[in-house]
Amino acid sequence: MTYAQNSTAAAERGGDFAALRSAVRRIAAGPDRRRFLTVTGAAAALAFAAGLPAAGAASAAELDARRITEDPFTLGVASGDPLPDAVLLWTRLAPRPFEADGGLPAERVRVGWEIAHDERFRRVVRRGSATAHPEFCHSVHVDVRGLDPDRVFHYRFRAGAWTSPTGRTRTAPAPGARNGSLTLAAVSCQAYHDGYYTAYRHLAAEDVDVVFHLGDYLYEYAVNSAGGARGYTDRVLPDHFDRETLTLDDYRMRYGLYKSDPDLRAAHAAHPFVVTWDDHETENNYAGDTPENDVPPEEFLLRRAAAYRAYWENQPLRAPQRPTGPDMRLYRRLHFGRLAQFDVLDTRQYRSDQAYGDGWKVPGPESEDPARTMTGAAQERWLIDGWKQSRARWNLVPQQVTFARRRDVPTDAYKLSMDCWDGYPASRQRIMDGAEAAGIENLMVLTGDVHVAYGFDLKKDFDDPGSRTVGTEIVATSVTSGKDGAERPANWDNLTRANPHMRFYDGRRGYVLIGLDREKARADFRTVSAVTTPGAPVSTAGSFVTEAGNPGLVPV
């Protein structure tokens, strides 16, 4: 089915989508078209603001939670974005998660919450209640403040007679604390239809302080009745998953499918997550307000607004990240004492369109145009200004696409990926120059997207293998995307020969563990042998260390 056919089908299955599409087409065709196409102007036109919870007497009626007869906590619990005195707690009420409304009427529900020092809740430190609004698909975001720094906490929710699973989270160290160590995990790319979330089951059992999800939490592609490569024989998924996501209902139900997975729920319950998106949470390889396919911009921005709203509803994100129409401020900064600063980037919403029509292409004047940007000017300034103020031992940049140069063959006839930073070399150089000017000595970029694990040395001059190493890049392989993969993919020899700064390459599924202390950072690439069948064991495919003040990956 073409995009146009999908769009027509979406209009037929969603009256709100059809009405909004008609409205934005009228605006986009009128005298305000130029303002509309600035994306920011589209926020007012894409009338998602009309679907926000109203105040006072005009708000939705309240549902007595005692009338909920099925478990509403089918999607589990999550926490995120830990601060020294706060953490964000999340859940979503969905007795029937494969339905657009989650199986609840369009009424608000009061949800109790509590957070304690112990998992039996004998030492509760905070409790309260929050409203699950139907306008936000009965999701709950509780920003719990006044907590002690650098502490483990346990939390849960209640609605009527139902109690959620218990989650475990922790706060960040106090500002200025000279904390000695931090362990984090990095994950990305979890196409449901490509396999089981075995990696998440193993990650749930790891001793980590925080998990960084680097994008492609969701895929817009169709999932058939057998769950694709999962090959279910004990269940049949509803037909509405067997199509591409376009409308707000589509994206909401797709999150319901993904979060119904017990291994993903276990990982969220075990660790706080810090999330950022890539492309598939909306549409493959979109760039700013430019879609992958040739469709009217107002239609794509309507789709983007739906995708962004569903993303916020289903992730442990604070109120400042709540989208307005098709815009959402996702880039943000987190501190873990004096040991680490994390500058979380968004390399999709503000980027220039991919050069030469995307894909792997010979670089040239179009891709090398200095005006091209991966981050947008405001985010670029924010990142570099943040480095100037940083007092952290390690400065880490969780983001989406491969940062280091990556030639496809070891000859002069090489091509580069136009979707990665290689397609935006001037933007990359401004970032690297900004890090150097700020005196950042221990720079580490964390990356997802490519469905393989890489370890790179970041070079002052990628054309000169002997030039100074200025940082490292750790690329987390996918959780499932690409199915089982292989230790040495078909291009392993070409890529390792073409890129002498590439220190590691493995094509299996899994995640990365990174341990930081004052002297070094250690990366352990954890892989599972298969995802198309459940229950595979996990092993360490490679371990590397980079010393503080002496960047470069050294095998352990």
Side-chain angles (χ1 to χ4, degrees), residues 333 341 343 383-397 431-445 458 468-472 548-551:
R333 180 170 294 121
Q341 175 174 303
D343 294 288
L383 174 62
I384 294 172
D385 288 346
W387 280 337
K388 292 176 182 176
Q389 302 299 318
S390 176
R391 298 296 180 266
R393 184 72 160 174
W394 297 92
N395 286 272
L396 297 95
V397 184
I431 298 297
M432 296 180 72
D433 290 347
E436 183 176 24
I440 299 300
E441 293 184 348
N442 302 310
L443 174 65
M444 180 178 288
V445 178
L458 300 179
R468 182 165 56 92
T469 298
V470 297
T472 57
N550 184 27

Side-chain angles (χ1 to χ4, degrees), residues 191-197 222-233 237 480-485 509 530-534:
Y192 185 95
H193 56 278
D194 271 359
Y196 289 90
Y197 290 160
V223 180
N224 67 22
S225 61
R230 296 187 177 209
Y232 290 143
T233 59
L237 298 181
T480 56
S481 302
K483 301 179 183 176
D484 292 335
R509 311 284 74 84
V531 295
T532 53
T533 54

Side-chain angles (χ1 to χ4, degrees), residues 40 48 52 140 166 201 234 267 270 272 318 329 379 432 534-535 544:
T40 301
F48 275 92
L52 299 183
V140 179
T166 297
R201 176 59 60 178
D234 61 341
R318 288 189 166 85
R329 167 70 181 267
Q379 186 178 193
M432 296 180 72
F544 293 82

Side-chain angles (χ1 to χ4, degrees), residues 191-514:
Y192 185 95
H193 56 278
D194 271 359
Y196 289 90
Y197 290 160
T198 308
Y200 273 130
R201 176 59 60 178
H202 292 297
L203 179 55
E206 300 274 14
D207 184 13
V208 302
D209 299 307
V210 61
V211 176
F212 286 84
H213 197 293
L214 304 172
D216 293 344
Y217 190 100
L218 187 79
Y219 278 70
E220 77 277 28
Y221 302 141
V223 180
N224 67 22
S225 61
R230 296 187 177 209
Y232 290 143
T233 59
D234 61 341
R235 73 199 79 174
V236 177
L237 298 181
D239 289 342
H240 61 66
F241 291 128
D242 199 13
R243 64 188 183 221
E244 188 169 341
T245 55
L246 290 174
T247 70
L248 182 57
D249 283 351
D250 290 339
Y251 285 104
R252 283 170 166 172
M253 289 188 291
R254 194 62 57 90
Y255 280 105
L257 174 64
Y258 276 54
K259 285 179 171 288
S260 70
D261 184 277
D263 294 338
L264 177 57
R265 294 201 308 270
H268 272 299
H271 313 298
F273 272 55
V274 176
V275 299
T276 187
W277 54 38
D278 193 17
D279 51 339
H280 288 288
E281 289 90 349
T282 300
E283 180 193 51
N284 178 59
N285 280 19
Y286 80 94
D289 59 355
T290 303
E292 178 186 30
N293 300 294
D294 186 18
V295 299
E298 67 272 13
E299 291 224 359
F300 174 67
L301 289 177
L302 181 58
R303 180 182 187 178
R304 201 178 90 171
Y308 284 13
R309 179 159 173 173
Y311 184 83
W312 184 83
E313 289 174 349
N314 287 279
Q315 298 291 5
L317 291 165
R318 288 189 166 85
Q321 276 68 59
R322 195 174 79 188
T324 303
D327 303 325
M328 180 169 165
R329 167 70 181 267
L330 192 58
Y331 64 88
R332 59 207 190 276
R333 180 170 294 121
L334 297 169
H335 300 271
F336 284 74
R338 292 287 295 274
L339 185 62
Q341 175 174 303
F342 294 91
D343 294 288
V344 183
L345 299 189
D346 172 0
T347 65
R348 281 293 161 191
Q349 188 174 182
Y350 313 105
R351 65 157 68 189
S352 307
D353 195 11
Q354 292 91 343
Y356 300 114
D358 205 356
W360 286 78
K361 301 293 173 58
V362 176
E366 184 178 341
S367 62
E368 295 170 357
D369 182 350
R372 290 174 53 73
T373 179
M374 178 67 88
T375 62
Q379 186 178 193
E380 182 179 296
R381 287 193 302 270
W382 168 87
L383 174 62
I384 294 172
D385 288 346
W387 280 337
K388 292 176 182 176
Q389 302 299 318
S390 176
R391 298 296 180 266
R393 184 72 160 174
W394 297 92
N395 286 272
L396 297 95
V397 184
Q399 55 95 53
Q400 293 75 20
V401 294
T402 304
F403 188 81
R405 191 175 66 183
R406 187 173 44 127
R407 293 179 173 179
D408 67 334
V409 293
T411 68
D412 289 340
Y414 66 87
K415 296 178 181 178
L416 302 173
S417 170
M418 295 296 104
D419 188 55
C420 296
W421 287 84
D422 278 336
Y424 304 76
S427 188
R428 175 173 60 196
Q429 193 60 52
R430 289 193 297 271
I431 298 297
M432 296 180 72
D433 290 347
E436 183 176 24
I440 299 300
E441 293 184 348
N442 302 310
L443 174 65
M444 180 178 288
V445 178
L446 305 179
T447 300
D449 179 59
V450 287
H451 309 169
V452 298
Y454 292 133
F456 289 106
D457 290 347
L458 300 179
K459 308 299 288 186
K460 172 73 172 174
D461 180 359
F462 285 112
D463 287 321
D464 177 10
S467 71
R468 182 165 56 92
T469 298
V470 297
T472 57
E473 181 178 12
I474 302 297
V475 180
T477 187
S478 63
V479 172
T480 56
S481 302
K483 301 179 183 176
D484 292 335
E487 181 178 1
R488 291 194 173 189
N491 65 354
W492 190 92
D493 187 59
N494 271 339
L495 260 63
T496 54
R497 290 173 55 210
N499 302 286
H501 54 287
M502 181 185 288
R503 303 303 187 198
F504 180 74
Y505 179 16
D506 189 289
R508 291 170 290 185
R509 311 284 74 84
Y511 52 93
V512 184
L513 298 180
I514 300 173

Side-chain angles (χ1 to χ4, degrees), residues 58 87 117 119 131 139 142 144 152 169 205 261 317 377-378 391 416 447 504 556:
V87 70
H117 287 308
E119 58 186 332
T131 301
S139 60
V142 180
V144 184
V152 171
T169 189
D261 184 277
L317 291 165
R391 298 296 180 266
L416 302 173
T447 300
F504 180 74
V556 175

